[in-house]
Amino acid sequence: MEQSSARQPVKITNVRVIDPSRDLDAHGAILILDGRIIAAGPDALTMGTPDGCLVLDGDGAVAAPGLVDMQARTGEPGAEHLETLASASQAAAAGGVTSLGLLPDTDPVIDDAALVDFVMRRARDTAIVNIHPIAALTKGLAGAEMAELGLLQEAGAVAFSNGRTAVADASIFRHALTYARDFEALVIHHVEDAHLRGDGVMHEGERATRYGLPGIPEEAELVMLDRDIRLARLTGGHYHAAQISCATSVDTVRRAKASGVSMTAGVSINHLSLNELDIGMWRTFLKLSPPLRTEDDRLALIEGVADGTIDVIVSNHDPQDVERKRHPFAEAHDGAVGVETLLPAALRLVHNGYLTLPDLLTKLSTAPARILGIDAGTLKPGAPADVIVFDPDEPWVLDRKSLLSRSKNSPFEEARFSGRIKATFVGGRLVARYTMDGAAEIVA
């Protein structure tokens, strides 16, 4: 396959086109012109091939909207040794993620319009996927004073979050939801009571007791989630629970939605794929926030995704280097990289019969784009041509050394996957593809 330019016409042929935004699942083709979708599906089969067109034979693979990950972190600004916008975007492209929602817990914190502008300019100059800053909900993420939501939104922030920490003061969170409602903005919140978490480092239960480690009770999540839902109901603000991890949280969100609360919820692919037993003998790459919980919790989360209680699946990409992870389990930092393994790990839900492929792509692309209010997650004519082509059945084994992320702390090291990206297009431009020997190649 040759390299494409931003304005070169592209035609992807011989593919199964899945576009959840149009309930489309059919054999067809995709025609791209000037960076936008001209046609996608059976209609594109009869269209001619423009002069100078890049033609990609999909060989029966799946073509779908690029993934939208609304929960990712980089080290830029402030900790570029962990991840830069450039390296994060290359890892994302290799994983089929064409839009990244970047959380504000950087150094300095993204709580100023000038910093939003900085991130957007750096992304424009160095990133090969779409970067969408999520600005701080409170100044310095301290939870004491609201950030200037209007100015941050005007600068380009697509949503607001308090990063890894929850806003403990209910009155401040109530005001934040009220202001966000007036600006028609989204509030994404980490649902964990810091006092109930205390010094906990893993799920509170038999295993933590056996290890002699302080646990994190599920009530740390439930208390904050319940409070947030009550305030969302009171204010009418657009509220999104960033990640839930417990079976009881799924029931809580299910009841809230049934009662008419305007809210959405997410779950990380780690919590749909792994449980506390996978930590084994102190595998610090599986030390996460929220912690991995029980197998019953994992199965309840999957059920919540399948029945629509949980709206989106995220990578929770959180790069940490060896120096932060090479410690006793209790002292290691939380976090794992995830954008490159989001799709193959999520495809296990399809292979195991929990979800259909169109339903999975809804959770990974169309739904997060709708919640963030960004122009993505669709193949409708006129939309930006963010497109992925992938083989849902190709077997492969993850070698973390092959990851493009600057940090290599993957919880899926040496995991066997079925399903792999073949090519990723952003704005009609080919940015990543896999070579015949299975190596990711950045084209842009």
Side-chain angles (χ1 to χ4, degrees):
M1 192 191 312
E2 62 185 290
Q3 187 168 338
S4 70
S5 64
R7 296 301 176 188
Q8 182 182 18
V10 176
K11 191 168 188 178
I12 305 170
T13 63
N14 190 23
V15 285
R16 175 186 172 189
V17 180
I18 300 179
D19 181 4
S21 74
R22 297 184 294 156
D23 293 324
L24 175 66
D25 183 356
H27 178 76
I30 298 176
L31 181 61
I32 300 169
L33 194 60
D34 291 333
R36 293 193 174 268
I37 301 290
I38 299 300
D43 293 349
L45 288 171
T46 57
M47 291 186 169
T49 302
D51 292 339
C53 185
L54 170 66
V55 179
L56 168 64
D57 183 351
D59 194 24
V62 173
L67 308 188
V68 178
D69 186 0
M70 57 187 293
Q71 181 88 6
R73 293 179 173 84
T74 73
E76 187 174 2
E80 287 79 359
H81 62 289
L82 301 178
E83 192 82 286
T84 63
L85 291 169
S87 64
S89 73
Q90 291 179 8
V97 177
T98 55
S99 293
L100 277 177
L102 286 188
L103 291 166
D105 31 8
T106 53
D107 185 14
V109 169
I110 309 299
D111 62 358
D112 184 272
L115 287 166
V116 173
D117 181 66
F118 167 79
V119 170
M120 295 182 69
R121 283 188 288 106
R122 284 289 294 168
R124 186 171 58 243
D125 293 341
T126 66
I128 60 172
V129 303
N130 304 306
I131 301 293
H132 299 281
I134 296 171
L137 189 62
T138 63
K139 291 186 178 179
L141 302 178
E145 184 180 359
M146 261 180 39
E148 297 285 354
L149 305 191
L151 293 177
L152 291 164
Q153 185 182 52
E154 189 176 320
V158 296
F160 299 93
S161 164
N162 220 53
R164 292 180 174 86
T165 58
V167 178
D169 190 319
S171 66
I172 290 177
F173 194 66
R174 174 186 178 181
H175 287 305
L177 281 171
T178 302
Y179 272 83
R181 178 201 63 199
D182 294 343
F183 288 109
E184 298 183 351
L186 173 69
V187 173
I188 301 172
H189 202 220
H190 180 67
V191 284
E192 185 178 69
D193 184 296
H195 297 289
L196 283 174
R197 172 179 174 134
D199 296 326
V201 297
M202 66 182 297
H203 172 66
E204 183 174 283
E206 177 185 343
R207 200 161 187 83
T209 301
R210 189 180 303 168
Y211 283 175
L213 294 174
I216 303 172
E218 65 176 30
E219 283 74 14
E221 180 172 300
L222 296 173
V223 166
M224 188 59 69
L225 180 63
D226 185 64
R227 184 207 73 172
D228 287 1
I229 289 172
R230 289 173 184 273
L231 293 177
R233 180 186 287 115
L234 175 66
T235 62
H238 187 182
Y239 168 75
H240 178 81
Q243 294 181 76
I244 59 175
S245 65
C246 310
T248 315
S249 294
V250 178
D251 291 337
T252 300
V253 173
R254 189 178 288 126
R255 286 196 301 272
K257 287 187 169 184
S259 69
V261 176
S262 174
M263 71 166 296
T264 50
V267 63
S268 89
I269 189 57
N270 301 320
H271 292 82
L272 296 174
S273 306
L274 306 164
N275 64 36
E276 61 174 349
L277 300 180
D278 291 299
I279 294 172
M281 296 304 291
W282 324 110
R283 295 178 65 198
T284 59
F285 284 5
L286 280 76
K287 186 170 185 286
L288 308 172
S289 178
L292 294 173
R293 299 200 185 266
T294 69
E295 178 64 3
D296 287 344
D297 287 314
R298 187 185 76 86
L299 294 175
L301 291 167
I302 291 174
E303 183 179 347
V305 171
D307 70 14
T309 301
I310 297 174
D311 303 87
V312 300
I313 302 171
V314 301
S315 74
N316 196 27
H317 183 76
D318 192 357
Q320 305 290 340
D321 64 4
V322 172
E323 299 305 316
R324 293 182 174 207
K325 284 292 190 181
R326 189 180 292 165
H327 292 285
F329 190 84
E331 299 171 18
H333 284 232
D334 295 332
V337 293
V339 285
E340 289 179 76
T341 50
L342 174 60
L343 178 63
L347 282 169
R348 289 174 170 175
L349 301 174
V350 176
H351 296 312
N352 291 330
Y354 294 119
L355 292 177
T356 65
L357 188 51
D359 285 344
L360 177 66
L361 291 169
T362 298
K363 305 292 184 182
L364 292 172
S365 180
T366 304
R370 172 179 51 79
I371 292 169
L372 287 175
I374 62 176
D375 194 7
T378 179
L379 298 179
K380 67 182 179 183
D386 299 339
V387 182
I388 57 173
V389 180
F390 65 96
D391 180 343
D393 299 311
E394 181 180 329
W396 60 288
V397 178
L398 177 67
D399 177 356
R400 69 185 183 91
K401 295 179 182 176
S402 69
L403 295 173
L404 298 182
S405 176
R406 189 165 283 189
S407 297
K408 310 295 183 186
N409 53 312
S410 172
F412 296 108
E413 183 178 4
E414 298 182 354
R416 298 179 181 277
F417 291 122
S418 293
R420 190 172 221 175
I421 288 290
K422 295 169 69 75
T424 301
F425 293 84
V426 175
R429 184 179 184 184
L430 178 66
V431 296
R433 62 189 173 194
Y434 276 83
T435 59
M436 294 296 290
D437 61 359
E441 180 184 11
I442 299 303
V443 182

